């Protein structure tokens, strides 16, 4: 439930990932033209140069999985499995950030912003949640052994 530390870790990771929807991820300069990289895509002014639909889908899926894991507190093994899957998705999202910024442009100059590191922080938070859930599971199994 809410009093468990892993709930805080999972909630923080979900909030970090959800904030990626609104924050600027990078500034890209190509041929003296400044473009901005958001989750919705790479924009030049109001014009969308590259659509960020795959990134939006990844962010939405990861956020929904984090919220779902919060309510699966009675099924600890399933929580661990879903969190491992979200870690894989978060690493894929981090790779997609670099793929989107460097492909399609000839020698771009990229200035990444702080929100690009949010998936890595979420990976660490998910890993800490997995460890805490594992400790809970080990405690419950040891108590079942005593009975």
């Amino acid at each position: 439930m809410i009093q468990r530390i892993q709930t805080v870790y999972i909630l923080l990771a979900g909030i970090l990932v959800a904030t990626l929807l609104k924050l600027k991820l990078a500034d890209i300069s190509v041929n003296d033209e400044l473009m901005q990289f958001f989750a919705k895509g790479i924009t030049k002014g109001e014009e969308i140069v590259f659509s960020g639909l795959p990134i939006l889908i990844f962010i939405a899926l990861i956020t929904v999985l984090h919220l779902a894991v919060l309510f699966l507190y009675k099924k600890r093994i399933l929580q661990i499995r879903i969190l491992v899957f979200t870690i894989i998705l978060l690493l894929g999202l981090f790779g997609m950030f670099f793929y989107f910024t460097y492909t399609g442009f000839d020698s771009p100059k990229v200035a990444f912003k702080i929100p690009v590191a949010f998936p890595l922080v979420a990976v660490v938070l998910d890993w800490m949640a997995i460890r805490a859930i594992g400790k809970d599971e080990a405690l419950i199994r040891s108590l079942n052994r005593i009975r």
Side-chain angles (χ1 to χ4, degrees):
M1 287 291 301
I2 197 71
Q3 66 268 21
R4 296 170 28 191
I5 190 68
Q6 57 263 32
T7 304
V8 175
Y9 295 148
I10 294 166
L11 189 63
L12 284 175
I15 290 171
L16 277 176
V17 173
T19 59
L20 291 174
L21 291 172
K22 292 291 180 187
L23 298 175
K24 185 185 345 178
L25 301 172
D27 287 327
I28 303 170
S29 177
V30 179
N31 300 332
D32 295 329
E33 293 180 355
L34 183 64
M35 298 180 207
Q36 297 177 339
F37 181 27
F38 291 95
K40 66 180 178 182
I42 298 175
T43 61
K44 181 172 38 173
E46 294 296 318
E47 174 190 355
I48 295 179
V49 179
F50 286 116
S51 174
L53 185 62
I55 291 177
L56 284 174
I57 291 171
F58 260 62
I59 291 173
L61 180 63
I62 292 167
T63 305
V64 167
L65 285 175
H66 277 107
L67 288 176
V69 165
L70 283 177
F71 297 108
L72 293 173
Y73 56 88
K74 290 185 180 181
K75 300 176 182 176
R76 288 170 299 280
I77 300 301
L78 182 61
Q79 269 187 326
I80 290 173
R81 288 182 181 160
I82 292 174
L83 284 175
V84 168
F85 182 63
T86 59
I87 287 175
I88 293 168
L89 289 177
L90 283 165
L91 293 174
L93 178 66
F94 189 70
M96 286 179 69
F97 288 159
F98 290 101
Y99 177 77
F100 268 74
T101 42
Y102 287 110
T103 59
F105 299 115
D106 293 329
S107 65
K109 295 177 185 169
V110 180
F112 288 106
K113 304 295 180 189
I114 292 174
V116 171
F118 286 0
L120 295 179
V121 174
V123 165
V124 172
L125 288 169
D126 284 349
W127 178 73
M128 290 182 357
I130 288 171
R131 288 193 52 186
I133 293 167
K135 286 179 184 177
D136 280 356
E137 183 65 22
L139 177 68
I140 289 172
R141 286 187 185 207
S142 72
L143 291 175
N144 284 341
R145 210 174 325 134
I146 292 173
R147 286 191 224 175

